[in-house]
Amino acid sequence: MAKWTAKHEAPEPLEGPVVATITGGTILWFVLFLVQLPFYGWFDDHGHAWWVWTCLAGAGLGLIGIWYVRGRDAAIKRAAAAAAEKESAGIPAPGTGTDG
């Protein structure tokens, strides 16, 4: 069986409102937890208590996700600002073939 190789380069990753998306998802998980909490007895009686705790875990992991994507977004903006500063100073960007 022959090894498969790509015939074209992979496209650039799509960038969107990542921080807003993760924040919205985290809020949704927490709201689902709060909505289910008054019915915990029913969930427990029917063997579905894990649903409640899954929502809480989703909210907790979402908080970690918010922290991560905010840091990533800030790093991307810092890198773009540094590249723009170098370009305005006339320093060629690495990989352009004009750096010697």
Side-chain angles (χ1 to χ4, degrees), residues 8-77:
H8 54 81
E9 290 185 33
E12 290 291 321
L14 296 174
E15 288 293 334
V18 180
V19 176
T21 303
I22 301 300
T23 302
T26 302
I27 290 170
L28 181 63
W29 278 115
F30 190 67
V31 166
L32 288 171
F33 169 73
L34 292 177
V35 167
Q36 292 178 1
L37 199 56
F39 305 103
Y40 182 79
W42 184 90
F43 283 113
D44 196 33
D45 292 343
H46 292 84
H48 298 301
W50 64 272
W51 289 7
V52 177
W53 302 119
T54 298
C55 292
L56 185 61
L61 290 172
L63 291 174
I64 295 170
I66 291 169
W67 170 77
Y68 178 81
V69 296
R70 287 185 68 198
R72 178 183 176 272
D73 195 40
I76 289 170
K77 287 179 182 174

Side-chain angles (χ1 to χ4, degrees), residues 1 5 19 23 31 34 53 57 68 78 83 85-86 88 90-91 93 100:
M1 185 171 192
T5 57
V19 176
T23 302
V31 166
L34 292 177
W53 302 119
Y68 178 81
R78 280 193 309 269
E85 186 177 314
K86 281 185 179 181
S88 67
I91 301 171

